[in-house]
Amino acid sequence: MNKHNDAQGGKPRFSKTSKRMIWILAGTICIASPAIAAGRTTPLEITVYAPVKRDPLFNVDPANPATTYQVDKQGINLFGGSGGTNSYTVISDMPSVSLDTVDPYGLVNMPAGNKGLRVRGEMMPHGGIGTIDGIPLSGINPGPGFQWLFDAENFSGITLSEGPIAPDKLSFFTNTGVLDSQLKWPTAQRKLQASQSLGSFGFRRTFARLDTGTLDTGSSLLFSASDTAARKWRGPGNAPDGRTNFEAALDQPVSDRFNAKFYMAYNDMNGSDYRPLTYAQASNLGVYNNFGYTATSSATPSQAVHYYGYNQQNFRDWSAFSELSYRLGPQSSIMFKPFYMKEQGNYLNGMATGKVRQWLIDHNWYGLTAEYRANIGGTGVKLGYWRDLIDPPGPPPAWKLYNPTAHGRLNFSDWG
């Protein structure tokens, strides 16, 4: 302790550091005095609380031999593309996942089945691999299917199961894993959400969602809508020229044991395709960075097929499904999920033969899943059933071939 004598008064003077030490010592004595008087020493307990933050990308159950990664709502906002619809962009940063999107916004649908996704090196050649709340809406679809049917704002989380797939993960093909998107059903609080996005190459997206909250009848509703468009990054045309989406849902408690949920989604999208690059062209992007289809048609059929107006797509998809759950007892329940989906549209592609092919797609699929859960003697039991009926897509009976003209028109030739 530093002590000095005052030159005038001769009284001792303490430095600021010494004074602080004295106050700390005095305070400690005051706190400890009651315990000392009682002949015991009580330690001072200090509890520090900190908010628990979870990584937006995490393994659901590390102890389980099946590998399942999940992205929560924060992760959807972080990893999802600006297009706000392609669920593949959300899982693109997961381990063992490789995604090749045609555009940075994730808005372009690749023709046919391959959607640019690889999981552990395996590619999905038959369309989407996804389910919605466990409902197998992906089907075997060369069209856009479920992948552009829902807005990302209406998801609460997305999981991807890799490797050995459990039998309760419902998907037609599981070699590339199973992706499941969990819906954000109507909330108990009234809420209005709206956003406007703008970007390069004419990108624009408008989204709005209304949650009514819990009404006097006990039901809660949601309504959402979005409109998206952007110009192509290579060549003339728009991709999409327009994507319009509508979604609505109802959550209705019927009784203390029975609850019913209903969901409907509609999507209308059209736009121009990107011209594929050969390996040599992709290896020299300095020259072919803006390579695409031509802005005008040609009198020569072999050149006319490269007109961007002959390489288009137009699709309308909609789906309706429900979740009907009934609690049989304190530790047992049963759930039914009937579903229906329809996809209608076409691809227009210029062929190397000098003809233009129109691939007509018009098919439906519907089905039902049922699940019984119980806890018997401390052991969890799950029994399930899945039935699915689906129309096979073309080809061959759904191909039409046309001869292009010099004026940008098509003359019907024959069925493929």
Side-chain angles (χ1 to χ4, degrees):
M1 184 179 297
N2 298 325
K3 182 173 74 173
H4 305 279
N5 291 326
D6 193 340
Q8 296 180 358
K11 297 180 180 180
R13 185 181 62 183
F14 297 92
S15 65
K16 293 182 178 180
T17 302
S18 300
K19 290 180 179 180
R20 280 195 289 267
M21 293 180 64
I22 293 173
W23 281 111
I24 293 173
L25 180 59
T28 304
I29 294 174
C30 291
I31 295 175
S33 294
I36 296 174
R40 57 184 174 82
T41 302
T42 303
L44 182 63
E45 181 179 342
I46 300 176
T47 304
V48 179
Y49 296 94
V52 178
K53 297 188 68 175
R54 186 175 62 181
D55 192 329
L57 170 61
F58 56 93
N59 196 342
V60 175
D61 186 4
N64 194 310
T67 303
T68 301
Y69 293 99
Q70 181 173 355
V71 176
D72 57 14
K73 188 62 179 177
Q74 177 187 355
I76 294 176
N77 298 331
L78 180 62
F79 300 119
S82 303
T85 180
N86 188 349
S87 55
Y88 286 2
T89 60
V90 178
I91 66 171
S92 59
D93 287 332
M94 287 186 177
S96 304
V97 175
S98 174
L99 176 66
D100 298 318
T101 57
V102 179
D103 72 319
Y105 296 129
L107 285 168
V108 178
N109 171 50
M110 292 185 181
N114 178 23
K115 305 303 179 185
L117 179 68
R118 287 182 182 269
V119 179
R120 295 187 174 183
E122 293 287 340
M123 181 179 67
M124 185 62 194
H126 299 291
I129 64 170
T131 59
I132 305 296
D133 273 4
I135 299 175
L137 290 181
S138 56
I140 309 172
N141 48 304
F146 91 101
Q147 194 176 348
W148 281 268
L149 185 57
F150 300 89
D151 284 321
E153 291 88 345
N154 293 328
F155 288 143
S156 61
I158 295 177
T159 62
L160 175 65
S161 300
E162 303 177 2
I165 303 301
D168 61 347
K169 306 293 184 184
L170 307 181
S171 180
F172 283 94
F173 305 96
T174 61
N175 58 313
T176 52
V178 175
L179 179 148
D180 182 61
S181 302
Q182 295 89 46
L183 289 170
K184 183 181 177 182
W185 288 88
T187 61
Q189 295 78 30
R190 182 178 300 178
K191 183 178 180 181
L192 175 62
Q193 177 184 358
S195 64
Q196 177 67 58
S197 304
L198 300 172
S200 55
F201 286 80
F203 169 74
R204 59 169 178 79
R205 183 172 186 268
T206 305
F207 172 83
R209 167 175 167 145
L210 171 65
D211 287 87
T212 63
T214 303
L215 305 176
D216 295 338
T217 58
S219 28
S220 52
L221 300 163
L222 81 79
F223 303 94
S224 77
S226 69
D227 182 71
T228 310
R231 294 197 308 271
K232 287 174 56 180
W233 291 65
R234 288 191 293 114
N238 298 325
D241 188 53
R243 174 190 173 267
T244 303
N245 177 274
F246 297 100
E247 297 177 46
L250 166 67
D251 188 347
Q252 178 64 63
V254 181
S255 66
D256 293 339
R257 293 191 174 190
F258 181 45
N259 190 77
K261 294 181 179 180
F262 302 92
Y263 206 101
M264 189 278 293
Y266 171 82
N267 184 63
D268 188 339
M269 63 183 295
N270 59 82
S272 304
D273 293 336
Y274 279 80
R275 188 171 182 177
L277 301 180
T278 64
Y279 178 81
Q281 292 170 338
S283 302
N284 191 5
L285 293 180
V287 176
Y288 295 99
N289 186 50
N290 295 318
F291 183 73
Y293 292 108
T294 60
T296 58
S297 183
S298 172
T300 306
S302 60
Q303 298 298 321
V305 294
H306 298 309
Y307 173 49
Y308 85 99
Y310 296 155
N311 295 271
Q312 304 271 335
Q313 58 178 276
N314 190 328
F315 284 97
R316 292 177 303 280
D317 297 84
W318 74 274
S319 177
F321 52 91
S322 62
E323 293 186 5
L324 309 175
S325 59
Y326 186 81
R327 184 168 51 84
L328 300 173
Q331 296 182 324
S332 62
S333 64
I334 189 169
M335 178 177 290
F336 296 93
K337 295 182 180 181
F339 60 89
Y340 171 80
M341 183 169 175
K342 180 178 181 63
E343 182 166 73
Q344 187 176 31
N346 66 85
Y347 290 113
L348 202 62
N349 306 113
M351 310 295 291
T353 58
K355 295 182 180 292
V356 175
R357 181 187 69 183
Q358 186 181 31
W359 184 347
L360 298 172
I361 297 175
D362 184 1
H363 60 268
N364 310 268
W365 61 92
Y366 54 92
L368 169 73
T369 68
E371 181 180 272
Y372 169 75
R373 290 191 180 192
N375 190 297
I376 303 175
T379 300
V381 177
K382 181 190 293 186
L383 299 175
Y385 174 80
W386 169 25
R387 180 170 178 81
D388 208 314
L389 299 174
I390 181 172
D391 295 335
W399 280 358
K400 295 176 69 175
L401 299 179
Y402 295 86
N403 293 317
T405 68
H407 304 289
R409 297 180 180 179
L410 296 174
N411 292 331
F412 174 75
S413 173
D414 57 288
W415 288 89

